[in-house]
Amino acid sequence: MQKSKLFFNSIAAIGQVLIVGIVYLVLYRYLLVTLGIELLGVWSLIIASTSLALIANFGISTSIIKFVATYYARNDFDRLRKLIFTAAVFIIGTYSIISVVILIAGTYVLPHFIEAKYLPIALEILPFSLLSLIINALGGVISSCLDGIQKNYIKSYIVSFSSIVLFALSVLLTPKFGLKGLIFAQIFQAIIVLVASIYYLSKSIKSIFTLQWNWSKSLFKEIINYGIKMQALSFMQMSFEPITKALLSKYGGLAMVGYYEMASRLVTQLRSLIVSANQVIIPVVAEAKETKETYVKELYIKTFSIVLLFDIVLITGIIITAPIISFFWIGKIVPFFLFAVVLNSIVAFVNICSNPAYFSYLGEGKLNWLIYSYIAITLLNPILSYFLGIEFNGYGVVVGWNIAFLIGSLLVLFSYHQKNHISLKSLLSLHDLWFIFLASLTSIFGYYSIISWFDSKLNYLFICIFVICLVWFVFSFLKNKHLKNIYQKATQLFTKNK
């Protein structure tokens, strides 16, 4: 992949995250006003429950990127057709079976986590939510093929547009159909992604879809063998959210689930700005591993430095603006929402720092430490959340999840450094350490300055310190050498495209 295409795909991915993030920000505010926090909590629990169907994926969506890229490079379009058909048929079949199981089990499980008065609506929307999930799964396979032929930007356009449609339909349907209208909007969004992905893939590769039966047993074994470890990761990952929200509902109530959903969505969506841009290095690492292995370490160090820079800025911004977001998004200052945002953000900082190692492991095909990390999170999350939930209600559940997530992230980060003999000294300069220190001061004094403003008890000392730190922080950011390099590359790219 050429550097210009890599950079363009990264920008498109960031644009997608921004658009989707803004859409969900406005959508959640609309749903909060229209449906109320309890029904938002119900929707959150149903989405988390139906995500258990991801067990049916078997890592297909991830592994197909690699195999599509391989056969596309070889111009082997016959195997490419068989590959896509085989993956699609497998996804439809397995997701349908798992969805039926979840639908039956939901009748017995949901009453333990959802209040009796909201149970009928929860059971009513469950089958529609599962239908949306099946269509999304198929769309995910087809859109991953666009990634495989290095047209990630098209996928970004599709997802961005479909998110805007989701919001528009939600506004139209929710007043009339309630929570069911929201699910209908999600189904239509999934259909748009599927149809658009099929269209653009057909346009990029002629005759890629045919009416004949193209199942290939050998290709099925090939993608399953590659994807089985990725499925192990997905299987563990899909348990994180349902367990956390179920325990949060049990020890904190549906309102806490709703507020946590909003806080988690906020941090996750903003975190994705960096993660999505970082993710495009996977094929670059895979190629470097084959052609110039020494470049892998060099690429990692460069990527880590850039990720760290924007990670610091992002998390600092989230923490400072958390009270403002709470006021305008929810309509008031909600202490639990602020607690979840700040704690999730601090742990997200470490997790984002571990992402270059995570994606490098994927590019190199070394997944063992990723599995160990997820095992640690899978075991620690329910144990810590359960006992801390008993003692500190919903706050304890959030702390338990974040401790587990932090430990898992550190395992990935430190294991990669140890295996590749990368010292912190080679990663962190004195300027980086100073920037982190400035960010910490700016976050602390900025957060409490804004809180004091909402409390109508202005702390002028904090405000003065915050302004001084903020000016110094912005100056240090603008003087960063990595920012200057990115600006130069962006200028060259857009000048070339004119």
Side-chain angles (χ1 to χ4, degrees):
M1 182 184 290
Q2 296 176 347
K3 289 184 179 180
S4 60
K5 184 178 286 188
L6 177 65
F7 190 69
F8 185 70
N9 282 334
S10 298
I11 291 175
I14 293 172
Q16 172 196 322
V17 173
L18 279 172
I19 293 172
V20 173
I22 292 170
V23 166
Y24 272 95
L25 182 72
V26 179
L27 178 61
Y28 273 54
R29 173 61 183 166
Y30 174 78
L31 294 175
L32 184 63
V33 173
T34 308
L35 300 176
I37 192 63
E38 285 80 11
L39 281 178
L40 187 61
V42 171
W43 176 60
S44 176
L45 279 172
I46 292 299
I47 295 299
S49 301
T50 55
S51 68
L52 291 171
L54 291 172
I55 189 176
N57 188 276
F58 284 91
I60 296 295
S61 296
T62 304
S63 60
I64 200 170
I65 298 175
K66 174 187 180 299
F67 289 104
V68 165
T70 299
Y71 295 125
Y72 185 71
R74 295 176 185 174
N75 291 321
D76 192 343
F77 297 112
D78 181 54
R79 289 183 72 81
L80 200 54
R81 277 189 288 271
K82 290 180 179 178
L83 173 72
I84 296 171
F85 181 86
T86 301
V89 169
F90 178 73
I91 284 293
I92 293 172
T94 53
Y95 266 80
S96 298
I97 294 170
I98 296 296
S99 293
V100 171
V101 173
I102 292 175
L103 189 61
I104 296 171
T107 308
Y108 302 98
V109 176
L110 289 178
H112 295 284
F113 300 102
I114 295 179
E115 296 171 23
K117 62 179 179 179
Y118 296 112
L119 188 59
I121 184 63
L123 293 174
E124 187 179 3
I125 67 172
L126 181 60
F128 296 104
S129 182
L130 288 166
L131 175 62
S132 172
L133 190 74
I134 294 171
I135 301 171
N136 262 319
L138 182 58
V141 169
I142 305 301
S143 62
S144 291
C145 296
L146 292 171
D147 291 337
I149 61 175
Q150 300 179 18
K151 293 195 175 182
N152 314 59
Y153 63 94
I154 295 179
K155 179 180 176 180
S156 296
Y157 297 157
I158 293 171
V159 173
S160 299
F161 173 74
S162 69
S163 299
I164 296 171
V165 173
L166 169 67
F167 175 75
L169 288 175
S170 297
V171 172
L172 288 172
L173 299 176
T174 304
K176 185 176 181 179
F177 299 101
L179 199 54
K180 194 187 291 185
L182 177 60
I183 302 298
F184 290 160
Q186 286 185 302
I187 292 173
F188 195 79
Q189 179 198 25
I191 292 171
I192 288 176
V193 172
L194 174 60
V195 173
S197 298
I198 290 173
Y199 171 76
Y200 282 107
L201 189 61
S202 301
K203 198 173 179 181
S204 300
I205 308 174
K206 301 298 181 184
S207 303
I208 191 63
F209 297 106
T210 62
L211 295 177
Q212 66 183 99
W213 183 263
N214 269 325
W215 176 271
S216 171
K217 187 177 180 180
S218 61
L219 281 173
F220 172 70
K221 288 181 179 178
E222 199 172 2
I223 56 178
I224 284 294
N225 289 337
Y226 181 85
I228 199 68
K229 285 188 176 181
M230 285 303 303
Q231 178 58 16
L233 294 176
S234 298
F235 178 74
M236 288 181 279
Q237 186 179 29
M238 73 183 183
S239 72
F240 300 164
E241 197 172 281
I243 288 173
T244 301
K245 289 179 179 177
L247 290 172
L248 196 54
S249 176
K250 186 176 181 65
Y251 296 114
L254 282 174
M256 274 195 171
V257 176
Y259 288 131
Y260 179 77
E261 169 69 19
M262 296 178 76
S264 177
R265 170 68 70 172
L266 172 69
V267 176
T268 302
Q269 200 64 39
L270 291 173
R271 168 183 168 271
S272 297
L273 287 170
I274 299 175
V275 175
S276 58
N278 190 193
Q279 192 171 0
V280 299
I281 72 164
I282 294 176
V284 180
V285 172
E287 181 182 350
K289 192 70 178 175
E290 298 295 323
T291 57
K292 189 181 179 183
E293 192 166 349
T294 54
Y295 181 61
V296 174
K297 184 175 179 180
E298 180 186 340
L299 178 65
Y300 174 80
I301 293 173
K302 286 182 179 179
T303 304
F304 182 90
S305 299
I306 295 171
V307 166
L308 177 65
L309 172 67
F310 289 99
D311 189 10
I312 295 170
V313 174
L314 176 68
I315 300 304
T316 301
I318 295 175
I319 293 174
I320 291 173
T321 58
I324 300 173
I325 294 171
S326 177
F327 182 78
F328 286 103
W329 200 17
I330 300 175
K332 59 183 178 179
I333 298 296
V334 179
F336 178 75
F337 173 81
L338 294 181
F339 175 79
V341 169
V342 172
L343 187 57
N344 281 16
S345 297
I346 293 170
V347 176
F349 171 77
V350 178
N351 177 258
I352 292 171
C353 285
S354 72
N355 279 165
Y358 182 91
F359 292 126
S360 293
Y361 269 137
L362 287 179
E364 294 174 28
K366 298 175 180 177
L367 306 183
N368 287 346
W369 273 103
L370 303 186
I371 292 176
Y372 300 152
S373 166
Y374 276 43
I375 288 174
I377 298 173
T378 303
L379 294 176
L380 290 173
N381 182 32
I383 295 172
L384 292 173
S385 297
Y386 175 76
F387 286 106
L388 290 174
I390 292 175
E391 191 68 28
F392 304 104
N393 59 64
Y395 286 88
V397 174
V398 176
V399 171
W401 154 248
N402 276 285
I403 292 174
F405 193 40
L406 176 65
I407 291 172
S409 301
L410 289 174
L411 276 175
V412 173
L413 186 66
F414 290 144
S415 66
Y416 190 82
H417 290 176
Q418 185 178 22
K419 290 178 73 68
N420 292 278
H421 309 291
I422 299 172
S423 64
L424 287 176
K425 189 176 180 180
S426 65
L427 287 175
L428 299 173
S429 65
L430 288 175
H431 184 275
D432 291 330
L433 294 174
W434 171 247
F435 196 48
I436 293 172
F437 176 71
L438 266 181
S440 302
L441 291 179
T442 306
S443 300
I444 293 169
F445 288 103
Y447 177 84
Y448 284 108
S449 294
I450 294 173
I451 286 291
S452 73
W453 182 74
F454 280 109
D455 289 340
S456 300
K457 298 177 181 178
L458 289 175
N459 190 319
Y460 292 103
L461 176 61
F462 275 27
I463 292 172
C464 289
I465 297 174
F466 167 58
V467 171
I468 293 170
C469 290
L470 181 62
V471 171
W472 210 337
F473 178 78
V474 172
F475 179 77
S476 298
F477 172 70
L478 295 175
K479 286 293 182 180
N480 190 281
K481 63 179 182 180
H482 297 295
L483 181 66
K484 292 179 180 179
N485 290 336
I486 292 171
Y487 176 76
Q488 289 173 357
K489 287 181 180 179
T491 304
Q492 292 171 1
L493 177 64
F494 290 113
T495 304
K496 189 185 297 183
N497 289 336
K498 284 183 179 180

